Amino acid sequence: MLLLLAISMAAGCGGRGAPIELPEVYIINVQPAEGESGLFEQRLKVDLRIRNPNNQDLNIDGLDFFLDVNGNRLARGLSNEAVTVPRLGEATMSVTASTTLMDIVRQVTRLGQHQDLVYAVKGKLHLGKV
């Protein structure tokens, strides 16, 4: 299941000529992060696909996002990994996200109230220098 990620671009994007169209970001996989979880905090490896509809490369030097399920916060991920998304192309990156035992319990108790599993990812891509 793929989901379009609403991305806010970093403030440094303005003034570079043509306006930058927002990239599309999709979750392609989520799995437990090996050896990093504890009783009260669980760590997830979230794989993302970033698509660049612009006619110039996007030099991403960081990412900050929240993962919500059925309207409630489940996890937050941060990365300072640098990746270049080629013009009119795509790239993938893996990010470690954290959630808490209480967030998971809240999600499980609310799953019975929803027939659909709806999730959204909101965040920022931090752009480096062109």
Side-chain angles (χ1 to χ4, degrees):
M1 180 190 316
L2 297 178
L3 174 68
L4 178 61
L5 169 63
I7 296 291
S8 299
M9 298 302 287
C13 295
R16 293 188 192 175
I20 294 178
E21 188 175 337
L22 295 177
E24 297 173 354
V25 180
Y26 297 89
I27 295 175
I28 55 177
N29 192 29
V30 177
Q31 63 188 33
E34 290 186 32
E36 294 189 37
S37 294
L39 177 61
F40 294 106
E41 179 188 53
Q42 288 67 48
R43 308 275 281 167
L44 305 169
K45 179 183 169 208
V46 180
D47 297 327
L48 303 170
R49 179 176 317 281
I50 304 168
R51 292 187 175 155
N52 179 8
N54 296 286
N55 197 24
Q56 67 186 47
D57 292 351
L58 290 179
N59 297 310
I60 298 169
D61 66 3
L63 174 74
D64 178 6
F65 73 93
F66 295 97
L67 173 60
D68 296 341
V69 176
N70 293 333
N72 296 294
R73 174 78 24 88
L74 177 62
R76 181 176 188 181
L78 298 166
S79 175
N80 63 1
E81 178 184 346
V83 63
T84 298
V85 186
R87 70 184 217 32
L88 304 173
E90 59 185 39
T92 59
M93 69 185 303
S94 295
V95 180
T96 300
S98 300
T99 188
T100 67
L101 178 62
M102 290 308 299
D103 290 330
I104 291 173
V105 168
R106 187 177 315 117
Q107 291 293 338
V108 169
T109 58
R110 291 183 178 160
L111 274 178
Q113 301 170 2
H114 298 279
Q115 290 188 337
D116 295 327
L117 182 65
V118 179
Y119 63 94
V121 180
K122 302 171 190 165
K124 293 182 184 179
L125 292 176
H126 299 274
L127 299 181
K129 299 193 191 267
V130 178

